[in-house]
Amino acid sequence: MQNTLASYASRLNERLKNFFLTMQEFFEFSMRTFGALGATRRYWKDVLYYMYVSGTQSLLIVLVSAVSIGGLLTFEIGNILTEFGAKGLIGRTTAFSVIRELGPLLTGIMLSARVGARNGSELGAMKISEQIDALRAFGTDPIAKLVVPRLVAALIMFPPLTALCDAAALLAGAFMAIGYHSLDPAFYWNPVLNYLIPKDFYVGFLKPPVFAILMTLVTCFNGFSATGGTVGVGNSTIKGIVVSCGLVMVFNFYISKLVFELL
Amino acid sequence: MIEFRNVYLRYGSREILKNISLTFEDRMIHMILGPSGVGKSTIIKLMLGLIKPTSGEIYVDGVEISRFTEKQLFPIRQKMGVVFQGNALFDSMTVSENLGFFLRENLNLPEEEVQRRIKEQIKFAGLEGYENALPEHLSGGMKKRVAIGRALIFHPEFILLDEPTAGLDPISSKKNS
């Protein structure tokens, strides 16, 4: 009994130690990335490439998700509001949900999956094939060359993608409200355009840069930490995506709460 | 000159290197022989500062580097051309881009000079016609020759070769030598 307890305590101790060590390494990795931001000018061609990868190439998946969620949201909300004779609130409800929460959240999750998977697997493969060591050996800072351009590209592309996601979701909502719930277009668009206040946009557009930083740092850190061959690359990629998606959801909640309490 | 003084390296309870003291003189060829897993590649990584020793000192041209930060190590590493055991060619870059990587990154050379040196290395390595090929389209011997060319192209003070003929057939091995 005593032995079992001792072994359990030792395992717990080991796990806690590993957790804090990883946190320390992640903090150091993040600080080095922010410290290397000056390399953006040197690697501007890489920034353009990653803007294409994380922005243009992600557009379709973001729009498809936005249309599905926007349409579904209006469909479900419309059914409930119609029961209470409050069909006129469909536009307002959809607009608040999309601009404040769903647009940024959906974009953050989609990009964490798509761009995050790419970051994790590319960097993980580079790590296990010693390409990152080769960069260091040839006097190049791998963080400046590989992480900074990805971070800057994500910071530039996430806000416009979120705006497009919002627009697509609102349009899909409009089609659903007008086509399925037989709502007059003016009753849908008037609340959308007139009831939104700056605070809604602050919440909605404060999130994309935060998500860009979280997604890039977490997935790149996991790629840099990959060990143990192809299985290791797979594991580090999965870990990066899961942690990044989880953090996007948690931060989505806290940013909303913080902005509404402070402003 | 590169010098190791009483270098120890441990990973957890595993002892990789135990009290190693070595001196690599300038303008000399040194070879480390031993069975796999005894730490030959590790010694090269220690020279480059890619890993830090648990204890002991490593001097490169009289400068103690074992406690240097990444930033402090960059000028030291720029003196060394290295060929990794698995080549470590940048797989998203062509042969020419791999060869010219160091020159474009670290030396402020005019593009004509970069191109001239790349052509010279391509000819030297017998890789004419493969300038725009990606590493995945090259044979093992060709990859190794690109890796060697990449290490030699900037005329480094030290050339570190980690098993430069490993895994090659006798003909490719002779060509590389």
Side-chain angles (χ1 to χ4, degrees):
Chain A
M1 179 69 180
Q2 212 168 13
N3 276 349
T4 318
L5 273 177
S7 122
Y8 180 74
S10 139
R11 277 209 307 270
L12 186 70
N13 178 39
E14 201 58 37
R15 280 192 180 182
L16 278 174
K17 222 161 65 180
N18 284 341
F19 173 76
F20 284 113
L21 189 66
T22 308
M23 285 295 105
Q24 185 191 335
E25 283 170 357
F26 177 69
F27 181 73
E28 194 192 332
F29 178 85
S30 307
M31 288 301 105
R32 279 185 57 200
T33 304
F34 291 123
L37 277 173
T40 309
R41 259 183 74 181
R42 184 173 188 187
Y43 297 115
W44 65 271
K45 279 185 188 168
D46 294 327
V47 174
L48 287 181
Y49 170 72
Y50 290 117
M51 279 170 70
Y52 171 72
V53 169
S54 63
T56 316
Q57 285 192 341
S58 307
L59 190 59
L60 188 65
I61 186 68
V62 168
L63 290 181
V64 168
S65 325
V67 167
S68 314
I69 296 292
L72 192 71
L73 180 76
T74 312
F75 171 74
E76 294 291 356
I77 286 175
N79 284 339
I80 297 165
L81 290 175
T82 307
E83 270 183 44
F84 292 96
K87 224 159 50 166
L89 290 175
I90 289 178
R92 194 174 168 181
T93 320
T94 307
F96 283 160
S97 313
V98 166
I99 303 286
R100 285 181 194 168
E101 309 297 338
L102 285 178
L105 184 66
L106 205 60
T107 313
I109 288 178
M110 282 298 141
L111 293 180
S112 285
R114 197 187 175 284
V115 184
R118 193 180 178 123
N119 287 348
S121 55
E122 265 185 23
L123 297 178
M126 285 185 80
K127 172 78 192 317
I128 61 156
S129 60
E130 292 184 309
Q131 290 179 54
I132 291 181
D133 277 348
L135 280 175
R136 291 169 65 204
F138 285 113
T140 297
D141 179 1
I143 288 186
K145 167 88 179 148
L146 301 171
V147 184
V148 168
R150 284 173 162 87
L151 177 64
V152 174
L155 279 168
I156 296 171
M157 295 313 287
F158 272 34
L161 274 176
T162 305
L164 286 171
C165 178
D166 290 347
L170 286 177
L171 268 175
F175 277 114
M176 190 53 76
I178 296 159
Y180 182 80
H181 295 299
S182 312
L183 191 70
D184 190 277
F187 279 100
Y188 180 84
W189 286 112
N190 271 343
V192 170
L193 301 171
N194 296 326
Y195 283 96
L196 286 171
I197 54 171
K199 203 195 231 182
D200 300 318
F201 290 98
Y202 295 154
V203 177
F205 286 93
L206 185 66
K207 290 172 182 176
V210 176
F211 294 167
I213 293 170
L214 286 174
M215 185 280 293
T216 312
L217 290 179
V218 168
T219 55
C220 289
F221 173 73
N222 277 287
F224 268 64
S225 318
T227 49
T230 44
V231 175
V233 175
N235 286 340
S236 67
T237 307
I238 292 169
K239 206 162 137 192
I241 297 170
V242 170
V243 173
S244 161
C245 286
L247 285 175
V248 162
M249 293 206 199
V250 171
F251 273 73
N252 185 57
F253 170 75
Y254 280 107
I255 293 171
S256 293
K257 201 164 179 293
L258 205 72
V259 171
F260 275 91
E261 276 174 10
L262 292 180
L263 294 178
Chain B
M1 190 172 78
I2 303 176
E3 197 184 347
F4 280 46
R5 283 189 203 162
N6 310 107
V7 171
Y8 284 82
L9 182 71
R10 286 186 203 95
Y11 289 129
S13 57
R14 258 179 69 213
E15 196 155 57
I16 312 291
L17 298 176
K18 191 177 171 186
N19 197 17
I20 297 285
S21 293
L22 293 165
T23 305
F24 301 95
E25 301 285 349
D26 286 346
R27 298 178 198 288
M28 295 279 285
I29 297 173
H30 297 266
M31 197 181 285
I32 303 173
L33 296 171
S36 53
V38 293
K40 302 184 294 293
S41 304
T42 307
I43 289 178
I44 289 186
K45 288 185 177 173
L46 283 165
M47 286 180 189
L48 288 158
L50 295 176
I51 46 179
K52 308 248 180 251
T54 312
S55 65
E57 292 157 350
I58 298 166
Y59 292 86
V60 176
D61 284 341
V63 181
E64 212 281 293
I65 63 155
S66 62
R67 301 288 170 262
F68 269 20
T69 61
E70 281 286 302
K71 213 172 178 180
Q72 289 171 315
L73 279 166
F74 287 146
I76 302 288
R77 288 172 181 159
Q78 289 177 4
K79 295 178 180 185
M80 301 179 189
V82 59
V83 176
F84 286 88
Q85 202 172 348
N87 303 320
L89 295 178
F90 304 122
D91 52 16
S92 58
M93 295 182 195
T94 63
V95 167
S96 296
E97 287 166 345
N98 263 287
L99 288 170
F101 181 79
F102 182 92
L103 305 178
R104 294 196 176 101
E105 277 286 306
N106 299 310
L107 305 181
N108 208 9
L109 295 176
E111 188 54 29
E112 299 81 56
E113 174 61 12
V114 174
Q115 289 299 335
R116 190 191 66 74
R117 288 208 202 177
I118 291 173
K119 272 188 193 150
E120 194 181 270
Q121 281 302 326
I122 295 257
K123 202 174 164 195
F124 176 70
L127 290 163
E128 291 99 335
Y130 289 93
E131 293 85 347
N132 297 317
L134 289 171
E136 62 178 328
H137 298 127
L138 303 178
S139 69
M142 287 169 159
K143 281 180 193 167
K144 198 61 96 178
R145 276 181 270 153
V146 177
I148 294 172
R150 189 177 64 172
L152 298 178
I153 199 164
F154 59 99
H155 310 141
E157 235 177 273
F158 307 100
I159 301 162
L160 314 175
L161 305 166
D162 192 358
E163 302 203 20
T165 56
L168 298 182
D169 59 86
I171 298 168
S172 306
S173 185
K174 199 170 177 192
K175 263 188 195 170
N176 283 359
S177 309

